[in-house]
Amino acid sequence: MTATGTGTGTGPVPGTGIRLTAPAPGWSIEADVVVVGSGVAGLTAALRCAAAGRRTVVVTKARLDDGSTRWAQGGIAAALGEGDTPEQHLADTLVAGAGLCDEEAVRTLVTEGPDAVHRLIRSGARFDTAPGGEEIALTREGGHHRRRIAHAGGDATGAEISRALVEAVRAAGLRTIENALVLDLLTDADGHTSGVTLHVMGEGQHDGVGAVHAPAVVLATGGMGQVFSATTNPPVSTGDGVALALRAGAEVSDLEFVQFHPTVLYLGPEAEGQQPLISEAVRGEGAHLVDAAGTRFMVGQHELAELAPRDIVAKAIMRRAHEQGVEHMYLDGRHFGAQMWESRFPTILAACRSHDIDPVTEPIPVAPAAHYASGGVRTDLRGRTTVPGLYACGEVACTGVHGANRLASNSLLEGLVFAERIAADIAARPAPEPAAARAAGPAPASAPRTPLPLLAPEARGAVQRIMTAGAGVLRSAESLARAAAELESIRRAAAEASAARATHKAPEPGVEAWEATNLLCVARVLVAAAQRRTETRGCHWREDHPERDDASWRRHFCITLDAERAPALHTTATAGFPPTADDGLPAPASP
């Protein structure tokens, strides 16, 4: 690990000169904007860019509706209810973020959030309504002092938002490329974004590796939960956007703050991959966390008991489990009765019953699992990264909103608000020249990049096991050092295999190898940040440094890859982020 001192964030940083090992693009298309990802953030950005007259292409790794958004159960948080205000939402968010939220970013979120939700409704999203059918029904989740969570289909909010946005995209006739894994950012000789390379997995108009040329790229690739063995994230969440940004020279921040959702259906110690989530809204409606004896252990630990912020609940579950020598606790909602389970939480009820657990008659076994990356590619309030022309929004981004621990249901709102801000920034810039005019001039030069050695697909499981053991809910100097050494061993073996291709069979380029390589990249950066942060804060829990240390660590790491492709860290001066760049353009007006 390379570490430098406090920095100020002076703007664009040079590219790393590396790329994934992949065939040269065999086809290409032109656009003004390419949006990578099809969740709430990506589709909102795409719709707003298209409405501003920009030729927009959406690239997504699976189908349009297969991202993380569709799995969101609880809802979307905004100050929509009587008596609630953005200031109250701000206060709850700052508390959950444990001193590391960028207050200006949070204020932007909570102030613009209510109108963004209403625009989403006008786009076709149908939220559950209170008796009478006019007002939006609101519930509570962890860390919220007010009922401000709008939901749809009981516990299928993400699926409804995804449905509405996908229908809007199709109605608008936006060009989409499905089943496509983004590979690397294209940049010109000046370091400005000029598009992406991608691999289409055998369906649609294109096949194999190609390129979308565009002067603006919006990363909305979602999270990186698959870096751990058990997660609530879908299989596509392999950190592709963060890894791409790092290879392109962009800064990332706060990767050490991985939120482990406290109530994930426990399916046994060997369970791997995507696990069923038991929404926080179940606790918001009055379910209790209990141990095997039926004792409520959150009472007295926090004023909100089971509705404390997620990091506090996750730690309490782990602590109680360790005390009792077991691997899980229970969530008891038997007092709801069958009718409430069937009407309010039909998705969760079906998931539990599919695993032979009936919440109507028995408590649900739960344990924490990797859920949400509070950090990601560092952006400003316009969604701009430190690479000119590259934007990021949604879970792949680090806007400063979440700090050290995301407040429940702020993620969908963040995707909405900052996607709209990105589109406003792109629309405020001069329209790109038509493709024909660009083709008539000299082609922009791009710096050559060295291919990055690929991991064998089977290394994915090794990376996940290393991260779960060494950088999971509980961390220490010893566990993190072991994880760092084991990850470095995997990286070194891949480099040696690549260097000795004549005598050893190196992995062939392909989706599984690219995903494993991306996971290793984000894992190494996460571990480096977790090693450096010698305190416990939010969802970063160091057993060997159990106290929060504001004097030393109420600041962020800005991380890039150095010349040796290792994480290079510098710290911010305060809990706020420095500018990403200063291009002299006025800030875009609010949508």
Side-chain angles (χ1 to χ4, degrees), residues 360-403:
V360 177
T361 60
E362 60 186 314
I364 306 168
V366 294
H371 181 58
Y372 190 87
S374 294
V377 186
R378 187 170 81 81
T379 75
D380 63 11
L381 297 185
R382 308 183 209 182
R384 302 179 304 174
T385 73
T386 53
V387 174
L390 178 65
Y391 297 82
C393 55
E395 190 172 354
V396 71
C398 181
T399 62
V401 159
H402 304 307

Side-chain angles (χ1 to χ4, degrees), residues 65 81 125 143 297 351 412 443 447:
D65 61 353
F297 55 88
L412 292 176

Side-chain angles (χ1 to χ4, degrees), residues 276-340:
L277 174 67
I278 310 299
S279 169
E280 197 141 338
V282 177
R283 282 175 280 140
E285 296 292 354
H288 303 143
L289 281 167
V290 298
D291 59 20
T295 303
R296 288 181 64 187
F297 55 88
M298 286 302 303
V299 176
Q301 294 204 31
H302 190 276
E303 60 166 334
L304 296 176
E306 282 90 354
L307 287 178
R310 289 177 177 176
D311 62 309
I312 294 172
V313 179
K315 291 171 187 175
I317 289 174
M318 294 295 293
R319 190 177 294 116
R320 189 74 156 198
H322 285 179
E323 289 173 356
Q324 298 186 348
V326 296
E327 295 181 321
H328 64 87
M329 291 287 110
Y330 294 91
L331 185 63
D332 192 351
R334 289 175 291 179
H335 55 285
F336 288 174
Q339 183 176 0
M340 181 173 175

Side-chain angles (χ1 to χ4, degrees), residues 100 102 105 242 251-257 372-381 383-385 392-404 414 418 556-558 577 580:
L100 270 191
D102 184 311
V242 171
E251 289 184 351
V252 304
S253 291
D254 295 351
L255 289 198
E256 67 269 37
F257 297 116
Y372 190 87
S374 294
V377 186
R378 187 170 81 81
T379 75
D380 63 11
L381 297 185
R384 302 179 304 174
T385 73
C393 55
E395 190 172 354
V396 71
C398 181
T399 62
V401 159
H402 304 307
E414 183 196 34
F418 285 90
H556 306 270
F557 300 134
C558 294
F577 279 118
T580 57

Side-chain angles (χ1 to χ4, degrees), residues 342-590:
E342 291 166 0
S343 61
R344 180 68 177 86
F345 301 113
T347 306
I348 296 170
L349 179 63
C352 289
R353 284 177 170 172
S354 72
H355 292 283
D356 298 322
I357 298 163
D358 189 351
V360 177
T361 60
E362 60 186 314
I364 306 168
V366 294
H371 181 58
Y372 190 87
S374 294
V377 186
R378 187 170 81 81
T379 75
D380 63 11
L381 297 185
R382 308 183 209 182
R384 302 179 304 174
T385 73
T386 53
V387 174
L390 178 65
Y391 297 82
C393 55
E395 190 172 354
V396 71
C398 181
T399 62
V401 159
H402 304 307
N405 183 43
R406 174 176 68 91
L407 181 64
S409 287
N410 268 357
S411 53
L412 292 176
L413 190 71
E414 183 196 34
L416 272 182
V417 168
F418 285 90
E420 292 186 337
R421 291 189 135 247
I422 286 172
D425 190 72
I426 291 172
R429 299 171 183 272
E433 290 182 320
R438 291 200 301 271
S446 60
R449 291 186 179 181
T450 304
L452 184 69
L454 297 178
L455 263 64
E458 56 268 25
R460 175 174 178 156
V463 171
Q464 292 171 327
R465 289 187 290 274
I466 290 166
M467 292 299 290
T468 298
V473 179
L474 300 176
R475 303 167 179 177
S476 66
E478 181 182 0
S479 75
L480 291 166
R482 184 172 61 251
E486 291 173 347
L487 293 173
E488 171 60 17
S489 178
I490 291 174
R491 185 207 65 80
R492 191 165 51 247
E496 291 171 354
S498 177
R501 279 191 78 96
T503 55
H504 294 78
K505 183 173 176 59
E508 292 297 323
V511 172
E512 292 181 342
W514 289 323
E515 287 184 333
T517 304
N518 285 338
L519 285 173
L520 177 64
C521 176
V522 297
R524 294 179 72 214
V525 173
L526 191 161
V527 168
Q531 284 183 291
R532 181 79 175 274
R533 185 171 290 280
T534 51
E535 64 160 354
T536 289
R537 181 186 298 271
C539 47
H540 171 65
W541 187 6
R542 286 282 299 259
E543 293 181 282
D544 51 339
H545 294 279
E547 302 301 323
R548 174 169 152 177
D549 181 1
D550 280 351
S552 300
W553 295 118
R554 192 165 179 254
R555 58 194 70 202
H556 306 270
F557 300 134
C558 294
I559 308 171
T560 56
L561 296 184
D562 65 16
E564 302 301 319
R565 305 172 185 177
L569 289 74
H570 70 261
T571 58
T572 61
T574 68
F577 279 118
T580 57
D582 182 9
D583 60 10
L585 286 178
S590 297

Side-chain angles (χ1 to χ4, degrees), residues 78-91 110-111 114 146 148:
L80 300 166
E82 184 178 355
D84 198 4
T85 65
E87 285 296 324
Q88 293 176 67
H89 191 181
L90 172 79
V110 301
T111 302
R146 289 275 188 174
R148 64 168 66 99

